[in-house]
Amino acid sequence: MRRFAIVAVALLFASCGSGGSDKPPPGPDPLLDGGKSAFDAFVADQRGKPVVVNKWASWCGPCRVEFPLLRKVAEQDKDVVFIGVNSNDNDGNARKFLSEEPVPYKHFKDPGLEIAAEFHGVQAFPTTAFYDTKGKLAFVHVGPYRTENDLVADIDRYARGSGS
């Protein structure tokens, strides 16, 4: 079993590439600078609103599968603030991925996983954190969401606080 896990991880990294020198897509840059302090200020500024934070990377296969769900829910539910955290990635690959899978929200750059550590999201890709309307971290979901209903249920339960 251990040999299988090692081979699977090796294949995942081999298929990801690390080029990233592509030109960014036209339009405003979807990647925000500022690190942990800017992220903390952003979450604090959203007080009174539910916040969903999704940590992802362009090389992460499960992140790619999950993005259409995030896009759909973010477009439908304007009462929830969505923000991405692009961790352990390079800007060129991240921008290319976002041009292929656009979502209606910005993303903090997190090359060293400092922001992810803030919400206990270092270990797995993707990780989704839910902040309640008081700005407190309410829940962390490790791994991809597989259905829109599961994501919406966790938003309602943890970010809106209607079922905790």
Side-chain angles (χ1 to χ4, degrees), residues 60-70 97 101 144-146:
C60 167
C63 300
R64 289 178 174 270
V65 171
E66 180 183 59
F67 250 61
L69 288 172
L70 292 164
F97 173 72
E101 287 290 344
Y145 276 95
R146 302 200 187 285

Side-chain angles (χ1 to χ4, degrees), residues 89-107:
D89 205 349
N90 70 61
D91 293 356
N93 285 347
R95 287 184 184 102
K96 183 174 187 257
F97 173 72
L98 290 170
S99 72
E100 296 165 356
E101 287 290 344
V103 289
Y105 50 89
K106 297 280 189 175
H107 309 266

Side-chain angles (χ1 to χ4, degrees), residues 132-161:
D132 65 21
T133 57
K134 296 175 185 164
K136 289 190 67 177
L137 180 62
F139 180 69
V140 178
H141 176 87
V142 176
Y145 276 95
R146 302 200 187 285
T147 71
E148 181 182 337
N149 287 342
D150 290 342
L151 175 57
V152 169
D154 280 352
I155 290 170
D156 288 344
R157 182 178 306 121
Y158 300 111
R160 284 193 174 99

Side-chain angles (χ1 to χ4, degrees), residues 117-141:
E118 184 78 3
F119 54 85
H120 315 292
V122 172
Q123 296 300 320
F125 285 84
T127 296
T128 305
F130 299 86
Y131 287 81
D132 65 21
T133 57
K134 296 175 185 164
K136 289 190 67 177
L137 180 62
F139 180 69
V140 178
H141 176 87

